[in-house]
Amino acid sequence: MSGTSSAAEDRVAIASNWRLVWWRFRRHRLAMISAGLLIFMYMIVLAPDFFSVQDPERTDARQAFIPVQMIHFFDDGSLSPWVPTITGKRHPVTLRMEWVADPARKVGVRFFARGYSYRVLGVFETNVHLIAPADPTQRIFLLGSDRLGRDQWSRIMHGTQTSMTVGLVAVALSVILGVVLGGLSGYVGGKTDQVIQRIIELLQSVPTIPIWLALSAALPRDWTPIQVFFAITVILSLVGWTTLGREVRGRFLALREEDFVLAARLAGCSRMRIILRHMVPTFASHIIATSSLAIPVMIINETSLSFLGLGIRPPAISWGVLLQEAQNIQTLALAPWLLTPGLVVIVAVLAFNLVGDGLRDAADPYSN
Amino acid sequence: MTRYIAQRLLILPLLMVIYSFVIFLIIQAPPGDFLTAYVATLASSGSSISADQIAALRHQYGLDQPFLVQYFLWMQNLLHGDFGLSLEYQRPNADLISEQLGLTLALALFSFVLTWAIAVPAGIYSATHPRSLIDHVLTVINYVGVATPNFMLALILMWLAFAYFDINVSGLFSPEFVDAPWSFARVGDLLFHIWLPGLVLGIAGTARLSRIMRANLLDELNKPYVVTARAKGMREWRLVLRYPVRLAFNPLVSTIGWYLPALFSGSLIVATVMNLPNIGPLLLRALINQDMYLAGGILLIYSFLTIVGTLLSDVLLALLDPRIRVES
Amino acid sequence: MVRDVKRRVALIGLAAGAGVLATGSSVLAQAGRYKEAASVTELVRAGKLPAIEARLPENPLVVPVVERVGEYGGIWRRAFLGPADSNNYIRVVYDSLFRFSPDGAKIEPKIAAGAESSADYKVWTINLRKGSRWSDGAPFTADDILFWYTDVLLNKELTPTLPGWIRNADGSAAKVEKASETAVRFTYLAPATLFLTAVANQDGADRTFAMFLPAHYLKKFHPAHAAKADIDKVAAAAGFKTWTELFANRNAPPENPERPTMAAWAPISRASDPIFTLRRNPYYVGVDTAGNQLPYIDEVRFTFFADVQALNLAAIAGNFDMQERHINMTNYPVLKDQEKTGKYRIITWPTFGGADAVIAINQTYAADPVMGKVMATKDFRVALSFAINRDQIKESVFLGLGEARQGVPAPWHPYFPGAEWAQKYTEFKRDEANKLLDGIGLTKKDAQGFRLLSNGKPATIEISVVPAFGAWPDVALLVGKDWEAVGIKTIVQIRERALHFKMGENNELMAEVWNEDTSAFPYTGNAKVDPRNAPILTMGPLWRRWYATSGKDGVEPPPEMKRIVEIVDKARTVGPEEQIKLSQELYRNWADNVYEIGTIGLTPMVQGVVVAAAKFRNVPTTLGNDWPLRSPGNARTEQFFFSK
């Protein structure tokens, strides 16, 4: 046995459970990449305007359905990013907007340049953007424009903010509900268990759609789309806690016979304290892994419901709203770049799943 | 065990009563009623109706009665096995539901079988050849499969089929077969149309299932009995199929009960987008048009299936794995 | 050419209806002059149908053809959205005594032979075609109208409130009598100059009863003619609670294929089936100019679609022979692009006047009295109209089609008040808007630049919008931006339609986007200029209550609105010239007060993009397109045919 390995063993021996999880997680390369990606996406959530090229709500009838404009990084051999100028006109017969790129006329693109001003987290005002046209009066469309001439790139950035937040908040709420109710059910047992189990079954048996319809009608009408969106998040979690609740219950059923729980009970701890301080920590890592797997489900739910026109509605922007606006033949046939939010959904969900799997493996003490 | 099942069965009627009330509450919660929705439909297709006509129809359909009265009337009819009359279709709800039931089940079963037929072998292969190229490819496909919203997939596939192969894949039948009597030709037509929706519906389930299969099987393959069997010279495929696969199956089989309600509800959006004759769109329309007795009837069936499904899952789990203690 | 929407149409006495209408020519009524489809001849030979002379009336309806005399046969494939879309059927068959001509300018006899009125327009006589028959072969006579009158219209259970067109000013029903086996006399207390306009819409649309019913069939479901106990038994067996439900169901052709009709095609399956099929009616009263009995087409098949996008994809794929309903105008570029495959041609039928997106401003908004008062101020509405950049809306939402206009009739219509009124306040004048808003005292602004009301709150308007014709949410978004630019805070709420309507009924909407159609028919149906109808537009729900309660409740309308109502009542009883004069006054008033702010009109947005298979002929390239015209019914669908 060499000195270093025994030092490592010592390190392991004294490391906290969380540290062990982290070490194991770190070894999971895909999960690490995904985690990095998610951190980047949550940076977008914090300041979508910084990542936007222009105001996502800015319309211009004369700039509808502009295709993707690729950034060219070199101009005459020197590093000077640009996109070609485009000119468009309506086809006289099909009435379709048709765009021609003119590479001879260039629109300069700059990084960390000035654009429209915005507030970061509602605190301070700035007008610096990650990417912006060198001439602020010009417009560039890195992912094309939609039917009203809005910039798809910037809209995706703002959609990211909404959809990622919905996922996170809804899961956070469901975790709280799931742990408390599932814990009660598993720990107390008897009638409480029966009632909670039947409530779970009821919630799982009623498809989300009617709850949605009822909800969208029951919300106060003077609510802004933002308020509606938070209400919808809450409802998502009201329905979504059941799976976790069942799992937690199962854990509790197994744990409540354990000695340490008995010891705590004999020491006179309250029920809530036993649940929250003694039992929950033993499977907290499992809960986190499950939650990170639940976030993508929430995101898909959000997109599905917005897609049906029952979730978040314009002028609020979410991935679902963007997809819903792209759900027509005109888009599929003539403006396929408007489907990019779908790709973003896939990437985000993929990342969450990979991180979730990585966490689950890492949290499992029996995995090697 | 018998006592446990009996107990669960005994509270079933009580549960159904509670469910029915909650369901009625939900379908009644949106403001307005069938006629508000009907006026809206007319208006949005360029027609109009006078206020007097609306009032007359509202009275005729009994929509001007208080909530509880409407609920009790509904329950009274239900107890006589009468699902009531659809306000929109003007036909008995039981007929409407049963008409859609056959094809709904056919599609659900097809996608269910497809799911298992793809997921199980893929899972077994991945588990027995971990970290091989094919395993990696399957893993990527699985992740993407879970991550893609199926309605989007449906829409894109439909467009591609039209744009590049000039075929319209919406619906379950070609126009000439939609209301034709059953024949070999019609079954053939159905088989030609069913694979795409079946695949779209099954893709997420397939991905999830094969991942679970892979994980479960990997766990089993590391167990001592496998090592022993292998050491004794048992042929590899026979060894894998005979014991570990069977054990890895257990947790999956126990979830079959959950498929019962999912058989219906899973297809709601896809069936709408792909224009499939299905209970999903029927429910969606009933909800949007506030055809409440139809929506209520379908939701009641859902809840019933859920209760039965849960019971079935619990029983299967207990039967398959004696280690699980049935609590009384 | 899409832009070529202005047709020159000679309009003659549209409103009053000519005193006497030409009855069908009987020149052809000699034996051997009529021809029929081969499939029908077979049935005649087999003894299942009488000969053509016995099936046609003495003086059949002669239907002019659009392109040429057609050929028999074929199945017309269409799409519909299920039973709630039964108006799809209603519009295709347009089963009525009289119907509008294709250009919407005239009312012509269809099932009926003609009509005449007394000099004072108080007494109208409808003449039926002698020898005409229901689709089951039973004779169609005056008794079928009398049955409707006595047993349906005057039956309080079936008709709790009389429809306006048959009601006298004192609330009583006009008198209806049998003048002969084939003539029915209607007697009103006051002149009824719009009688025929109303009759042209009495076709059983919207779950109402048509004014002619197959008495021989329906009597067995009516307690005045059959034992109540028997009817109740049938009702219970079919799942109905009352005999009235049973009767309504048995009477509705889309719900009951047994019910005979007078239309060119009669249902053989139900609208709740996956395919709703209509089959040629061998007793149809119409023939073409060469004496061929119509319709040419054997069957009409409506395929059910749960989703409009799937329907549009099928249309693009060429799965329908002729479809205009539910085709989204935004798909026009794709359709036009696919036209070159030669599968189909695209025809556009711009709307029959009005505007295809208007923003109605609630004039009786009570939830916020301060804002409500501002909204009821004319200068405020004029300012909002000036603030809108209609050019942007036209380009973004209407593919560059149509013109900026208020919701008044089209230029070719006699009620057209003149171009200066159609375009009143439609120029994009932001400065003018700001000046007007300053002028009504909204001068103070908050930090975000929104104008403050007298109570210190920002002036806020909520536009409620239903994605009914797809593009309206976009209109609302664009308008909202324009309004914010002049300091009016605008919230756009996209709502589920039933919720929107419920809120409208409860006077909870501030503003909404809808289309202003029916502008050519301000006096019949449910015209949107008349606040007493308005179950659809949100202009003034409390005005409606004021009229409904004879002034006891609700809000009294301003003099300008009262004048509109006065005109509506008066115009129903005056001669054609006077009526045109009154109508023009009405629309000058309407445009000037901008209760509804018009945006763009005369586009084919509402059911005006027609996908017609290359072989599907005789579809007119121009058509008056509006609900009261039952388009495409007024295109005389029975003369559509498939060329070989």
Side-chain angles (χ1 to χ4, degrees), chain A residues 4-29:
Chain A
T4 46
S5 84
S6 88
E9 260 172 42
D10 287 350
R11 217 157 53 105
V12 171
I14 58 162
S16 70
N17 186 35
W18 293 110
R19 192 166 286 269
L20 289 172
V21 168
W22 165 239
W23 283 342
R24 280 193 297 260
F25 181 75
R26 220 168 39 180
R27 282 200 306 241
H28 205 308
R29 210 173 341 130

Short mmCIF file of all heavy atoms in Angstrom, two decimals, chain A residues 4-29:
data_model
loop_
_atom_site.label_atom_id
_atom_site.label_comp_id
_atom_site.label_asym_id
_atom_site.label_seq_id
_atom_site.Cartn_x
_atom_site.Cartn_y
_atom_site.Cartn_z
N THR A 4 0.19 7.47 -0.96
CA THR A 4 -0.86 8.31 -1.57
C THR A 4 -2.21 7.64 -1.47
O THR A 4 -3.21 8.27 -1.16
CB THR A 4 -0.56 8.57 -3.05
OG1 THR A 4 -0.18 7.33 -3.64
CG2 THR A 4 0.53 9.59 -3.22
N SER A 5 -2.21 6.31 -1.71
CA SER A 5 -3.53 5.68 -1.72
C SER A 5 -4.12 5.67 -0.32
O SER A 5 -5.33 5.80 -0.15
CB SER A 5 -3.44 4.25 -2.28
OG SER A 5 -3.06 3.36 -1.27
N SER A 6 -3.27 5.57 0.70
CA SER A 6 -3.86 5.59 2.03
C SER A 6 -4.34 7.00 2.37
O SER A 6 -5.35 7.17 3.05
CB SER A 6 -2.85 5.09 3.07
OG SER A 6 -2.06 6.15 3.55
N ALA A 7 -3.63 8.00 1.81
CA ALA A 7 -4.11 9.37 2.01
C ALA A 7 -5.48 9.53 1.36
O ALA A 7 -6.40 10.12 1.92
CB ALA A 7 -3.11 10.36 1.41
N ALA A 8 -5.59 8.93 0.16
CA ALA A 8 -6.88 9.00 -0.52
C ALA A 8 -7.95 8.30 0.28
O ALA A 8 -9.08 8.77 0.40
CB ALA A 8 -6.75 8.37 -1.90
N GLU A 9 -7.58 7.19 0.84
CA GLU A 9 -8.56 6.46 1.64
C GLU A 9 -9.00 7.29 2.84
O GLU A 9 -10.18 7.34 3.18
CB GLU A 9 -7.97 5.14 2.12
CG GLU A 9 -8.42 3.97 1.28
CD GLU A 9 -7.69 2.71 1.64
OE1 GLU A 9 -7.50 2.47 2.84
OE2 GLU A 9 -7.30 1.98 0.71
N ASP A 10 -8.02 7.97 3.44
CA ASP A 10 -8.37 8.83 4.57
C ASP A 10 -9.35 9.90 4.11
O ASP A 10 -10.33 10.21 4.78
CB ASP A 10 -7.11 9.51 5.13
CG ASP A 10 -6.27 8.50 5.90
OD1 ASP A 10 -6.79 7.39 6.12
OD2 ASP A 10 -5.12 8.82 6.22
N ARG A 11 -9.04 10.44 2.95
CA ARG A 11 -9.88 11.50 2.42
C ARG A 11 -11.32 10.99 2.26
O ARG A 11 -12.28 11.65 2.65
CB ARG A 11 -9.34 11.92 1.05
CG ARG A 11 -9.45 13.41 0.79
CD ARG A 11 -8.44 13.83 -0.27
NE ARG A 11 -8.55 13.01 -1.47
CZ ARG A 11 -9.11 13.46 -2.61
NH1 ARG A 11 -9.61 14.67 -2.67
NH2 ARG A 11 -9.16 12.69 -3.67
N VAL A 12 -11.41 9.78 1.73
CA VAL A 12 -12.74 9.20 1.53
C VAL A 12 -13.43 8.98 2.88
O VAL A 12 -14.60 9.27 3.05
CB VAL A 12 -12.64 7.88 0.75
CG1 VAL A 12 -13.98 7.17 0.73
CG2 VAL A 12 -12.15 8.14 -0.66
N ALA A 13 -12.62 8.50 3.81
CA ALA A 13 -13.21 8.15 5.09
C ALA A 13 -13.82 9.35 5.79
O ALA A 13 -14.86 9.24 6.44
CB ALA A 13 -12.15 7.50 5.97
N ILE A 14 -13.14 10.50 5.66
CA ILE A 14 -13.66 11.65 6.40
C ILE A 14 -14.58 12.51 5.56
O ILE A 14 -15.19 13.45 6.05
CB ILE A 14 -12.50 12.53 6.95
CG1 ILE A 14 -11.62 13.01 5.78
CG2 ILE A 14 -11.70 11.78 8.00
CD1 ILE A 14 -10.76 14.20 6.14
N ALA A 15 -14.67 12.18 4.25
CA ALA A 15 -15.48 13.04 3.38
C ALA A 15 -16.96 12.90 3.74
O ALA A 15 -17.42 11.83 4.12
CB ALA A 15 -15.26 12.65 1.92
N SER A 16 -17.68 14.02 3.59
CA SER A 16 -19.12 13.97 3.84
C SER A 16 -19.78 13.22 2.69
O SER A 16 -19.19 13.03 1.62
CB SER A 16 -19.68 15.37 3.91
OG SER A 16 -19.66 15.95 2.63
N ASN A 17 -21.01 12.84 2.92
CA ASN A 17 -21.76 12.12 1.89
C ASN A 17 -21.82 12.94 0.61
O ASN A 17 -21.66 12.43 -0.49
CB ASN A 17 -23.16 11.82 2.43
CG ASN A 17 -23.94 10.96 1.46
OD1 ASN A 17 -23.37 10.11 0.80
ND2 ASN A 17 -25.23 11.20 1.37
N TRP A 18 -22.05 14.26 0.76
CA TRP A 18 -22.19 15.12 -0.41
C TRP A 18 -20.91 15.16 -1.23
O TRP A 18 -20.95 15.17 -2.44
CB TRP A 18 -22.56 16.54 0.03
CG TRP A 18 -23.93 16.57 0.63
CD1 TRP A 18 -24.24 16.77 1.92
CD2 TRP A 18 -25.15 16.33 -0.07
NE1 TRP A 18 -25.59 16.69 2.10
CE2 TRP A 18 -26.19 16.41 0.89
CE3 TRP A 18 -25.49 16.03 -1.40
CZ2 TRP A 18 -27.51 16.24 0.57
CZ3 TRP A 18 -26.81 15.87 -1.72
CH2 TRP A 18 -27.81 15.96 -0.74
N ARG A 19 -19.81 15.18 -0.49
CA ARG A 19 -18.54 15.23 -1.19
C ARG A 19 -18.33 13.93 -1.98
O ARG A 19 -17.90 13.97 -3.14
CB ARG A 19 -17.43 15.41 -0.15
CG ARG A 19 -16.09 15.76 -0.74
CD ARG A 19 -15.14 16.26 0.33
NE ARG A 19 -15.47 17.60 0.78
CZ ARG A 19 -14.94 18.70 0.23
NH1 ARG A 19 -14.08 18.59 -0.75
NH2 ARG A 19 -15.26 19.89 0.67
N LEU A 20 -18.73 12.81 -1.39
CA LEU A 20 -18.60 11.53 -2.09
C LEU A 20 -19.43 11.53 -3.37
O LEU A 20 -18.99 11.10 -4.43
CB LEU A 20 -19.06 10.39 -1.17
CG LEU A 20 -18.13 10.06 -0.01
CD1 LEU A 20 -18.80 9.06 0.91
CD2 LEU A 20 -16.82 9.51 -0.53
N VAL A 21 -20.64 12.06 -3.22
CA VAL A 21 -21.52 12.11 -4.38
C VAL A 21 -20.86 12.94 -5.48
O VAL A 21 -20.81 12.55 -6.64
CB VAL A 21 -22.88 12.72 -4.00
CG1 VAL A 21 -23.69 13.04 -5.24
CG2 VAL A 21 -23.64 11.77 -3.09
N TRP A 22 -20.34 14.07 -5.07
CA TRP A 22 -19.70 14.96 -6.05
C TRP A 22 -18.54 14.25 -6.73
O TRP A 22 -18.39 14.32 -7.93
CB TRP A 22 -19.26 16.23 -5.33
CG TRP A 22 -18.30 17.08 -6.12
CD1 TRP A 22 -17.05 17.46 -5.75
CD2 TRP A 22 -18.51 17.66 -7.42
NE1 TRP A 22 -16.47 18.22 -6.71
CE2 TRP A 22 -17.35 18.37 -7.77
CE3 TRP A 22 -19.57 17.63 -8.34
CZ2 TRP A 22 -17.19 19.05 -8.95
CZ3 TRP A 22 -19.42 18.32 -9.54
CH2 TRP A 22 -18.25 19.02 -9.84
N TRP A 23 -17.72 13.54 -5.96
CA TRP A 23 -16.59 12.83 -6.57
C TRP A 23 -17.05 11.81 -7.59
O TRP A 23 -16.50 11.66 -8.66
CB TRP A 23 -15.75 12.14 -5.47
CG TRP A 23 -14.88 13.12 -4.73
CD1 TRP A 23 -14.51 14.37 -5.13
CD2 TRP A 23 -14.28 12.91 -3.45
NE1 TRP A 23 -13.72 14.97 -4.19
CE2 TRP A 23 -13.55 14.11 -3.14
CE3 TRP A 23 -14.28 11.86 -2.54
CZ2 TRP A 23 -12.83 14.26 -1.95
CZ3 TRP A 23 -13.55 12.01 -1.37
CH2 TRP A 23 -12.84 13.21 -1.07
N ARG A 24 -18.08 11.10 -7.20
CA ARG A 24 -18.56 10.08 -8.13
C ARG A 24 -19.17 10.72 -9.37
O ARG A 24 -19.00 10.27 -10.48
CB ARG A 24 -19.57 9.15 -7.45
CG ARG A 24 -18.91 8.09 -6.60
CD ARG A 24 -19.91 7.02 -6.20
NE ARG A 24 -20.98 7.55 -5.37
CZ ARG A 24 -21.00 7.43 -4.04
NH1 ARG A 24 -20.04 6.78 -3.41
NH2 ARG A 24 -21.98 7.94 -3.35
N PHE A 25 -19.91 11.82 -9.13
CA PHE A 25 -20.59 12.50 -10.25
C PHE A 25 -19.55 13.03 -11.25
O PHE A 25 -19.75 12.95 -12.46
CB PHE A 25 -21.43 13.64 -9.71
CG PHE A 25 -22.19 14.39 -10.78
CD1 PHE A 25 -23.31 13.83 -11.36
CD2 PHE A 25 -21.78 15.64 -11.21
CE1 PHE A 25 -24.00 14.50 -12.35
CE2 PHE A 25 -22.46 16.31 -12.20
CZ PHE A 25 -23.57 15.74 -12.76
N ARG A 26 -18.44 13.56 -10.70
CA ARG A 26 -17.42 14.18 -11.52
C ARG A 26 -16.86 13.21 -12.56
O ARG A 26 -16.42 13.60 -13.62
CB ARG A 26 -16.30 14.67 -10.61
CG ARG A 26 -15.73 16.00 -11.01
CD ARG A 26 -14.85 16.54 -9.93
NE ARG A 26 -14.06 15.50 -9.30
CZ ARG A 26 -13.20 15.76 -8.31
NH1 ARG A 26 -13.04 16.98 -7.86
NH2 ARG A 26 -12.52 14.80 -7.74
N ARG A 27 -16.91 11.92 -12.21
CA ARG A 27 -16.35 10.93 -13.12
C ARG A 27 -17.23 10.69 -14.34
O ARG A 27 -16.81 10.11 -15.32
CB ARG A 27 -16.14 9.61 -12.37
CG ARG A 27 -14.91 9.63 -11.50
CD ARG A 27 -14.51 8.22 -11.19
NE ARG A 27 -15.61 7.48 -10.62
CZ ARG A 27 -15.60 6.93 -9.40
NH1 ARG A 27 -14.54 7.03 -8.67
NH2 ARG A 27 -16.64 6.28 -8.94
N HIS A 28 -18.47 11.12 -14.26
CA HIS A 28 -19.46 10.87 -15.30
C HIS A 28 -19.34 11.99 -16.33
O HIS A 28 -19.85 13.08 -16.14
CB HIS A 28 -20.86 10.88 -14.65
CG HIS A 28 -21.87 10.10 -15.40
ND1 HIS A 28 -22.10 10.29 -16.74
CD2 HIS A 28 -22.73 9.12 -15.00
CE1 HIS A 28 -23.06 9.48 -17.13
NE2 HIS A 28 -23.45 8.76 -16.10
N ARG A 29 -18.63 11.72 -17.43
CA ARG A 29 -18.24 12.81 -18.31
C ARG A 29 -19.45 13.49 -18.97
O ARG A 29 -19.60 14.71 -18.94
CB ARG A 29 -17.28 12.30 -19.39
CG ARG A 29 -16.33 13.40 -19.81
CD ARG A 29 -15.24 12.90 -20.75
NE ARG A 29 -15.03 11.49 -20.74
CZ ARG A 29 -14.98 10.72 -21.85
NH1 ARG A 29 -15.15 11.28 -23.03
NH2 ARG A 29 -14.75 9.43 -21.78
#
